[in-house]
Amino acid sequence: MAGIQFCGECSHMLTPRENMETRSLSFTCRRCGFTEDAEENRIYVNTIVSDTATKLEIVPSDVVADPTLQRSFETQCTACGTNEVVFFQAHGNQKAESLQLIFVCCNRDCGEKWLSELAKPSEA
């Protein structure tokens, strides 16, 4: 698909027209009447690309000061070994097969962030 097309006669923009009898698409110049058959029966394609990956770099390090977040004293930081971390659920794809948790180390000198996946409960 070439995008916007222009008339070969007068260089004005061609507009799409549908021929209902032949069920075909053509491009017509409104100024001079030049007509050109379309290569395919589609005018526009809207491709939506969504990135559902969790980006740890957007999580601020000061979330450790939030008293509303859950804390764990049993999970060890992968970088410094501290046993205090805060964690919360990552917002991602709703159709995900697993639940992702974001962990942040409470050691202010460390601030390590990592993901952990928990298995989705089996449906009965």
Side-chain angles (χ1 to χ4, degrees), residues 15-61:
T15 57
R17 297 281 164 108
E18 179 185 10
N19 185 335
M20 297 294 274
E21 294 172 2
T22 62
R23 295 187 51 90
S24 63
L25 181 68
S26 63
F27 291 96
T28 306
C29 178
R30 290 184 180 173
R31 184 172 186 212
C32 70
F34 173 79
T35 301
E36 174 181 287
D37 289 334
E39 295 175 8
E40 58 182 312
N41 289 332
R42 168 175 28 180
I43 300 171
Y44 178 76
V45 176
N46 185 13
T47 305
I48 299 173
V49 178
S50 62
D51 183 14
T52 60
T54 302
K55 294 181 174 67
L56 292 176
E57 61 269 6
I58 64 170
V59 176
S61 296

Side-chain angles (χ1 to χ4, degrees), residues 92-98 120:
N93 190 352
Q94 294 179 355
K95 296 182 180 179
E97 293 298 320
S98 63
K120 188 178 183 181

